Amino acid sequence: MKLKIKYNRLTSGLYLVLMLLLPMFSLGDNKENVLFEKGNQLYAKAQYQQAAQTYQQILNDGYQSAVIYFNTGNAYYKLDDMASAILYYEKARKLAPNDKDININIQFANLKIADKIEPQPDFFVARWWHNFILVLPANILSIISDLLFLGGFLLLIAYLFAGSLILKKASFFTGIVAILFGIITIFMANRQINYFNSHHQAIIFSNSVIVKGSPDVNAKPLFVMHEGTKVDVNQKNGNWIEIELPNGNSGWITVDNVKDI
């Protein structure tokens, strides 16, 4: 399986157009761009450990980018470190939920971990709702809403000064529609942020960990989890967290066994 490196872009055409139009989507200052290109060159030379470390330098400086997370995940995948690969792929997916390359690589990485867990089927309405609010990253939705509001208000201003009845009607109704769509995109971005904030997830980083029935070292063991598995974190109790698997099974492990997405 050949992994794709992303050169500061995602596959969505709309995302690419916005990146070309809006410089705020670039990595930032020259230092980060230089490191990003260096990481890509190291990856192309199969120097995957050095590539991962280079991408990590950018992330350590506080930059969050689906592109950098994705490339970091690819480097760890090549190093056969599936836990780290899945962690960074999942971080990328939080910023670009419907990116095809990210989702495909998560599937490939999950094939190489020990735990094969069948998720509970989603109710079709819930699945539709999640697909709706996750259609684009929240930051892109916010920018689209700003553009729609700006365009809508400009059209309403044009309505006030339009000379003909046809132009007045066209600018008025188009402006109203643009503002309504702006409200919808703001709502989608808000719901997406709330969705991710309410779904605290983590990746198991221990070779194996015994899941307990309660937050106590002497509690009854329930089952064993292995490195690379993604879990939901429901609550915390001291040094313990209650985890839940996609199939609905739940239990307690210590926090040092996971890394947060």
Side-chain angles (χ1 to χ4, degrees):
M1 192 269 293
K2 185 176 181 180
L3 299 180
K4 294 182 179 179
I5 278 290
K6 292 182 181 291
Y7 294 93
N8 203 18
R9 57 180 170 81
L10 293 179
T11 54
S12 165
L14 177 58
Y15 197 100
L16 178 58
V17 169
L18 287 170
M19 285 185 67
L20 292 172
L21 293 176
L22 300 168
M24 66 184 69
F25 289 109
S26 65
L27 282 176
D29 60 34
N30 187 59
K31 174 188 173 184
E32 276 61 46
N33 281 311
V34 169
L35 286 172
F36 184 73
E37 292 304 321
K38 179 183 176 182
N40 291 345
Q41 291 168 11
L42 289 167
Y43 184 96
K45 295 175 182 177
Q47 298 177 11
Y48 303 121
Q49 186 65 53
Q50 295 91 326
Q53 292 171 351
T54 302
Y55 295 135
Q56 192 67 59
Q57 289 182 54
I58 303 173
L59 298 172
N60 290 343
D61 285 341
Y63 288 87
Q64 290 193 11
S65 162
V67 177
I68 301 173
Y69 283 136
F70 179 85
N71 287 6
T72 306
N74 283 346
Y76 281 115
Y77 185 99
K78 290 293 189 178
L79 292 167
D80 205 31
D81 183 349
M82 289 305 114
S84 296
I86 293 171
L87 174 68
Y88 285 102
Y89 286 151
E90 290 288 352
K91 286 178 178 289
R93 182 156 66 175
K94 288 185 73 171
L95 298 179
N98 278 337
D99 183 81
K100 182 179 178 181
D101 291 340
I102 295 170
N103 289 318
I104 287 175
N105 283 14
I106 288 174
Q107 293 175 21
F108 278 119
N110 280 323
L111 291 174
K112 300 186 72 172
I113 63 175
D115 298 323
K116 304 294 188 290
I117 302 169
E118 289 294 328
Q120 293 178 322
D122 285 335
F123 185 50
F124 78 94
V125 173
R127 185 167 60 251
W128 176 87
W129 174 248
H130 292 154
N131 288 336
F132 173 66
I133 65 173
L134 300 177
V135 65
L136 287 171
N139 60 334
I140 302 298
L141 289 171
S142 298
I143 291 166
I144 291 173
S145 68
D146 289 342
L147 294 175
L148 286 169
F149 275 119
L150 177 62
F153 284 119
L154 288 175
L155 285 167
L156 292 180
I157 292 172
Y159 155 78
L160 297 175
F161 296 97
S164 69
L165 182 60
I166 293 177
L167 285 176
K168 277 184 174 291
K169 286 184 175 180
S171 57
F172 177 80
F173 287 110
T174 306
I176 293 297
V177 169
I179 290 172
L180 287 175
F181 274 102
I183 293 172
I184 291 171
T185 53
I186 284 179
F187 174 76
M188 291 168 64
N190 176 265
R191 292 299 88 198
Q192 185 180 136
I193 292 169
N194 285 343
Y195 172 79
F196 284 124
N197 286 342
S198 63
H199 285 73
H200 180 195
Q201 296 178 310
I203 304 296
I204 302 288
F205 262 75
S206 297
N207 288 333
S208 64
V209 56
I210 299 173
V211 182
K212 303 280 189 174
S214 62
D216 189 320
V217 69
N218 296 316
K220 176 184 176 181
L222 299 179
F223 51 90
V224 178
M225 298 303 304
H226 300 88
E227 186 178 35
T229 302
K230 182 174 75 171
V231 298
D232 289 330
V233 179
N234 291 336
Q235 60 177 311
K236 186 175 182 180
N237 186 336
N239 194 41
W240 292 80
I241 54 173
E242 184 188 33
I243 63 168
E244 183 175 346
L245 304 180
N247 61 9
N249 292 339
S250 63
W252 294 82
I253 62 174
T254 54
V255 70
D256 56 302
N257 288 294
V258 302
K259 289 186 179 181
D260 290 338
I261 296 173

